Amino acid sequence: VTALEAVATALFGALAGILSGLLGVGGGIVMVPYLGLALGLDQHVAEGTSLLVIVPTAMAGVLAHARRGRVDWRTGRLLGILGVFGAIAGAQVALVVPPTVLRRVFAGFLVLIGIRFLRRSLSPSKDVGAPAGE
Amino acid sequence: MLIGLLAGVLSGFLGVGGGILMVPALVLLFRFPQSAAHATSLAAIVPIGLAGGISFAVAGEVAYLPALVLSTTSIAGAVLGARLMARIPERSLQGLFGAALLLAAVRLAL
């Protein structure tokens, strides 16, 4: 590992962390391409490494949010428990199948949802939802 | 709650946390405010990432040194991101999330 790689990796970690804490995502979407393209890791290794980093990152983020009363633990727990089964299944599939087609389908889905969020953000009258737990 | 299962599959499959699926579900289906959806999504991501990460680790598909370096700064970043949220109005947060989804879509399609 060169000094440049170490500094770049630290910077990408910080970027992924900020995105994670602010946007409620894991940060894998920036880490996987970085690990694959910049560090030259194999796609599977990049995904596995990203998942490991996501754990302490999300933990730090959720604790910071919980202090401010933003976490709905009941819903989070339910999603998390079901997600565990999904994650194990997904990982088994990923380890044997090239994910190109699924990725493209999912990308199309994200474009639709992304546009919807942008429109909500710009529309003057749409409600932004009730407070958590109500 | 199929959303949790789907988020998990996606997470294990693509090496991501699943938040890009859970946040929209919480906001659009469960009417969560954007900020609460982001925070709650993170709570679910912890066990999901753990399960996926262990699956890959068992298969020997993990690079520990980069993981360690990334984690060090990403933990600090996450706390900073959570603080930053208080300064951003719900509506702008929605816009930011929407933009992030579009970027994620581009990255996935390539």
Side-chain angles (χ1 to χ4, degrees), chain A residues 1 9-10 13-14 17-18 20-26 28-29 31-33 35 41-42 44-45 47-62 64-65 68 70-72 75-76 78-80 82-84 86-87 90-91 93-95 99 102-104 106-107 109-111 113-114 117-118 120-121 123-124 126 128-132, chain B residues 1 4-5 8-17 19-24 26-28 31-34 36 38-53 55-56 59 61-67 69-71 73-75 77-78 80-83 85-86 88 91 93-95 97-102 104-105 107-110:
Chain A
V1 182
T9 304
I18 292 171
S20 171
L22 183 62
L23 298 180
V25 298
I29 209 80
M31 282 190 289
V32 173
L35 291 168
L41 296 183
D42 167 87
H44 285 160
V45 179
E47 292 182 10
T49 305
S50 157
L51 282 167
L52 276 198
V53 177
I54 283 169
V55 175
T57 308
M59 216 180 275
V62 76
H65 284 300
R68 296 163 176 82
R70 297 190 190 118
V71 181
D72 180 336
T75 306
L78 200 55
L79 288 175
L82 288 168
V84 165
V93 177
L95 288 167
L102 183 91
R103 278 172 48 167
R104 299 240 159 107
F106 186 61
F109 168 76
L110 285 187
V111 169
I113 303 275
F117 271 91
L118 286 176
R120 278 167 75 95
S121 141
S123 80
K126 276 261 179 68
V128 288
Chain B
M1 291 292 107
L5 203 61
V9 173
L10 185 76
S11 164
F13 200 70
L14 298 177
V16 300
I20 42 180
L21 196 65
M22 286 189 288
V23 170
L26 288 172
V27 172
L28 300 175
R31 307 257 156 213
F32 269 52
Q34 198 74 25
H38 291 188
T40 302
S41 160
L42 283 175
I45 285 172
V46 174
I48 293 174
L50 197 61
S55 301
F56 277 87
E61 304 275 20
V62 163
Y64 289 98
L65 184 62
V69 177
L70 281 171
S71 299
T73 47
S74 71
I75 288 171
L80 186 66
R83 277 198 194 158
M85 189 189 277
I88 299 176
R91 212 166 273 272
L93 207 54
Q94 274 183 345
F97 188 78
L101 284 188
L102 293 185
R107 131 89 186 118
L108 279 173
L110 293 180

